[in-house]
Amino acid sequence: MFKKVFLPLFLVIVLSLTFEVLGFTLPQANAADSNFDISVDSKYKISENGLTTISQTIHIKNKTEFYYTPTYTVSVGFSDIQNIEAYNADGTIATTLNDNKPSNKSIKLTFPKRYTGVSDVNTFTLKFDTKDIAKKQGSVWEVSIPGIASPGDFSSYTSNIIVPPSFGLPTIVKPQKDPQKDKSLTLSKEDVGKSGVYILYGDRQYYNFSVKYNISNPNLFPVRTEIALPPKTNYQDVLINSFSIDPLNVTRDKDGNWIAEYRLLPQQKQQVVVKGVVQLVPSPNKEELPSALSKEYISSEKHWDINSPSIQKATKDIKTPQEIYDYVVKNLSYNYSKVATDNLRLGGSGALSDPKNSVCLEFTDLFVTLARAKGIPARSVEGYAYTQNSKLRPLSLVNDILHAWPEYYDASSKKWIMVDPTWGNTTKGMDYFNTLDFAHIAFAIKGVDSQYPIPAGGYKFDNESKDVEVKFAESSSFKPNSKIVITDTFPTFSFPKFKIQGSFIVKNSGNAALENATAYVKTSRGTTKQFLIDYIPPGGLEKITTSFDDAPFLTNGKYLLTIQVKDATYSKKIRIAQLDNTTKIR
């Protein structure tokens, strides 16, 4: 690495510097800090098709007269590198691309001139194109600026990201940063850090899903069983477009899960396939948390033992959700090999006793346990998470690439806030506390019970089956439709002046949740009743029982009931008579 060159007046030691500025591993140049002052100005100009031109102007200032830089090598973590060029005030600089390792290529610059004096500055520019910075994923553009493996090697390091006007302003920037009016972002060395910068352009993302539920009844008598459908939450809206087998009913539980009910005969097995569309938004909607439910979300549960001595000890120095998140990210280590083994769930206190044996369940359980121990309502979420790099953003429930992450309730904003300490740890500190992303789809929320419900992907006849399929979708595929079917149990005949009693059933046969609807029931005698329908998930129904005292006194009349729910109208004629003519008299 070092060459001795004898010059007339003094000895010059030639240093070949190798720095990584665009990847995640950095060969150390031990003499760099003491002999050179290095600053970098980077520009990432992204075109409409995602091709990015990276231009780096690098300044290497000599601190002594004994060292200079004949070469400079940049390690780049990209598989695609095009149109390399380098130059300075003296003209073109020769470049050599070393691509022996496709995932760790490097570009070597050999300078035609020596810069040897004290305070002499070698200023040069390296440019190349790559398709690996910006990618269109569904309805969202993702821009990933890799981190600096050793930020301390640079006195300054700035990055300017410029995108086409069609991208709009960023929706999510990790770490948080406000964009300029010209649609550009200027990032400092501290912004980029070791974890890099992750930028999302787009206000929502869409996914098509198809999930299989394998259910069985080993008993000698009929049973009813339940499955958890991907539910609507304050981050996601869900359309259920089809059931391969219609459920008896679909209800919403305390945690907001959509629970579908099925009846199985003795020894019966069935596979239920549910298809739909998810729309994700970056910021959660408000949601009131009833005080009774709030108490349940700060209570102890299996896997969330808030009274454990180790948990109580850990909570002494942490107070806020941010501090809890930071504690979990810092104290647990992700065990990639555990995913392929038994993956035994340790729970919150178990994660503290064995911190190096953690996957997403341990990161989630520890966060929930610590939050509850501090009186902060918290629960866990399990579902699908889209990732392109399983080392940076791993998925721990391997059979169907599922993931787990926690959420806590913020009383000031009245919102459930999702965070992901697992990915905060594995991405070397990228911020998954202040903002999440468009990659987390909730399949099941566990708050009242730490083990129930089981998310889609967990209903298997064998561990080898692939039961979850999720793909990006276009916005045009998200088409809510309302279809309400009304039936009744009112009689077709009634005696004069007798009370008319019965029920009507409102079934949601559309693909979206029916919320805050009113059922109007009118009689031909002028009586009107109203019933509030709070919530019916797709495929669900609600039965309402009522009675009327205004049957006519005269016989052979017709009494008409009209039931209306939104655009659906249903009518029932009831004959008023002294005797039902359908009754046989003997």
Side-chain angles (χ1 to χ4, degrees):
M1 206 72 175
F2 292 90
K3 298 180 181 178
K4 293 183 179 180
V5 178
F6 292 94
L7 297 180
L9 298 178
F10 52 85
L11 175 67
V12 177
I13 300 178
V14 179
L15 174 67
S16 178
L17 288 174
T18 301
F19 287 98
E20 180 202 12
V21 293
L22 296 173
F24 290 97
T25 59
L26 176 62
Q28 297 295 319
N30 297 326
D33 291 341
S34 59
N35 296 291
F36 300 97
D37 183 85
I38 304 173
S39 61
V40 179
D41 297 311
S42 297
K43 181 183 290 186
Y44 298 79
K45 188 173 183 180
I46 302 170
S47 64
E48 291 280 357
N49 63 3
L51 184 68
T52 302
T53 298
I54 300 175
S55 176
Q56 289 196 321
T57 299
I58 302 162
H59 312 271
I60 302 177
K61 182 179 179 180
N62 297 336
K63 290 182 178 180
T64 74
E65 59 183 329
F66 303 107
Y67 293 86
Y68 77 95
T69 56
T71 63
Y72 186 90
T73 302
V74 179
S75 297
V76 290
F78 305 131
S79 59
D80 175 70
I81 300 175
Q82 311 171 30
N83 306 323
I84 302 172
E85 61 175 308
Y87 54 86
N88 61 12
D90 299 319
T92 301
I93 299 172
T95 62
T96 304
L97 175 63
N98 181 353
D99 57 358
N100 293 332
K101 296 180 180 179
S103 62
N104 188 25
K105 298 180 180 181
S106 62
I107 303 171
K108 181 180 180 180
L109 285 70
T110 302
F111 302 110
K113 176 182 175 181
R114 297 178 179 181
Y115 295 82
T116 57
V118 176
S119 298
D120 204 356
V121 179
N122 180 6
T123 298
F124 56 95
T125 298
L126 170 66
K127 293 179 68 175
F128 61 91
D129 297 336
T130 179
K131 297 177 182 177
D132 294 342
I133 290 288
K135 294 185 180 298
K136 182 74 178 293
Q137 305 288 6
S139 300
V140 173
W141 275 100
E142 295 183 0
V143 175
S144 299
I145 308 299
I148 313 165
S150 295
D153 287 330
F154 301 92
S155 59
S156 69
Y157 191 103
T158 61
S159 299
N160 187 240
I161 295 92
I162 303 170
V163 301
S166 61
F167 281 28
L169 293 176
T171 306
I172 294 174
V173 181
K174 298 174 182 290
Q176 286 185 309
K177 194 81 174 176
D178 291 327
Q180 300 175 2
K181 292 181 180 180
D182 61 357
K183 308 293 190 302
S184 68
L185 282 170
T186 300
L187 307 168
S188 67
K189 179 175 69 173
E190 290 70 28
D191 293 328
V192 178
K194 291 186 177 182
S195 60
V197 179
Y198 184 60
I199 311 167
L200 297 177
Y201 297 86
D203 61 355
R204 59 200 63 215
Q205 183 65 285
Y206 300 89
Y207 295 89
N208 286 320
F209 67 85
S210 176
V211 289
K212 299 174 184 177
Y213 301 84
N214 301 292
I215 53 179
S216 62
N217 175 20
N219 300 298
L220 299 176
F221 49 84
V223 298
R224 293 198 177 195
T225 189
E226 297 176 336
I227 61 175
L229 309 176
K232 180 178 180 179
T233 72
N234 58 346
Y235 282 89
Q236 70 185 33
D237 201 354
V238 176
L239 305 180
I240 303 293
N241 288 331
S242 68
F243 295 90
S244 63
I245 303 173
D246 288 335
L248 298 174
N249 196 6
V250 182
T251 57
R252 182 176 63 163
D253 69 9
K254 288 183 179 180
D255 291 319
N257 294 294
W258 289 356
I259 306 297
E261 182 181 356
Y262 286 88
R263 183 177 186 271
L264 294 177
L265 298 175
Q267 305 296 311
Q268 185 180 18
K269 289 184 176 182
Q270 285 188 330
Q271 184 178 82
V272 180
V273 181
V274 179
K275 296 182 179 182
V277 189
V278 176
Q279 173 187 261
L280 293 181
V281 295
S283 300
N285 299 313
K286 288 187 176 181
E287 181 181 335
E288 291 288 343
L289 181 61
S291 58
L293 194 54
S294 179
K295 292 178 181 178
E296 293 196 59
Y297 289 145
I298 59 174
S299 65
S300 190
E301 277 285 324
K302 184 176 182 179
H303 304 303
W304 305 329
D305 182 7
I306 64 176
N307 299 311
S308 164
S310 61
I311 294 296
Q312 290 296 316
K313 181 181 178 180
T315 57
K316 287 184 178 180
D317 298 323
I318 53 178
K319 298 178 181 179
T320 67
Q322 175 78 70
E323 291 174 345
I324 294 170
Y325 172 90
D326 292 340
Y327 179 90
V328 174
V329 170
K330 179 181 177 181
N331 285 277
L332 298 189
S333 298
Y334 194 90
N335 183 353
Y336 291 90
S337 63
K338 183 182 179 182
V339 177
T341 59
D342 58 358
N343 204 358
L344 180 66
R345 186 176 179 182
L346 302 178
S349 57
L352 278 182
S353 62
D354 192 7
K356 294 185 178 181
N357 195 28
S358 299
V359 293
C360 63
L361 289 171
E362 282 67 49
F363 282 86
T364 299
D365 285 339
L366 181 56
F367 182 97
V368 172
T369 307
L370 292 174
R372 289 188 173 206
K374 297 301 293 186
I376 301 169
R379 57 193 187 184
S380 70
V381 184
E382 293 179 10
Y384 176 91
Y386 173 76
T387 180
Q388 289 183 293
N389 188 324
S390 59
K391 291 294 289 183
L392 288 178
R393 298 176 180 88
L395 305 173
S396 305
L397 310 178
V398 294
N399 287 338
D400 275 298
I401 56 173
L402 299 182
H403 189 46
W405 60 95
E407 64 178 0
Y408 71 92
Y409 189 76
D410 182 71
S412 60
S413 65
K414 299 187 184 301
K415 294 179 179 180
W416 279 104
I417 309 295
M418 291 183 180
V419 299
D420 193 339
T422 307
W423 286 7
N425 173 273
T426 56
T427 55
K428 301 181 181 179
M430 185 169 284
D431 180 14
Y432 279 92
F433 178 82
N434 292 294
T435 56
L436 204 57
D437 52 26
F438 290 107
H440 291 67
I441 303 174
F443 281 178
I445 302 168
K446 297 179 180 180
V448 176
D449 189 325
S450 66
Q451 301 179 91
Y452 181 85
I454 299 170
Y459 302 77
K460 294 183 177 295
F461 291 147
D462 63 77
N463 290 330
E464 301 303 319
S465 62
K466 178 75 172 116
D467 297 334
V468 174
E469 183 178 337
V470 180
K471 297 181 179 179
F472 288 112
E474 298 298 326
S475 59
S476 58
S477 66
F478 193 84
K479 296 179 179 179
N481 66 71
S482 175
K483 185 180 180 182
I484 298 170
V485 177
I486 303 171
T487 56
D488 80 286
T489 64
F490 286 98
T492 57
F493 159 82
S494 181
F495 294 105
K497 296 302 292 181
F498 269 54
K499 180 181 290 187
I500 298 174
Q501 301 182 72
S503 303
F504 63 95
I505 297 169
V506 179
K507 181 172 182 178
N508 179 9
S509 294
N511 63 2
L514 177 63
E515 303 180 66
N516 299 319
T518 301
Y520 298 92
V521 185
K522 300 178 182 180
T523 74
S524 54
R525 304 281 289 175
T527 301
T528 301
K529 292 187 176 183
Q530 298 181 23
F531 302 90
L532 177 64
I533 299 173
D534 178 49
Y535 197 98
I536 306 178
L541 56 86
E542 183 168 330
K543 184 178 181 180
I544 299 171
T545 299
T546 187
S547 62
F548 296 91
D549 296 320
D550 61 346
F553 176 76
L554 299 176
T555 62
N556 297 322
K558 289 183 179 179
Y559 185 83
L560 181 65
L561 284 178
T562 302
I563 305 168
Q564 183 172 0
V565 181
K566 291 200 168 182
D567 296 333
T569 301
Y570 175 84
S571 296
K572 177 67 173 279
K573 292 180 180 179
I574 302 173
R575 192 174 68 86
I576 307 299
Q578 291 290 350
L579 187 66
D580 184 357
N581 60 8
T582 63
T583 303
K584 294 182 179 180
I585 301 176
R586 296 182 180 180

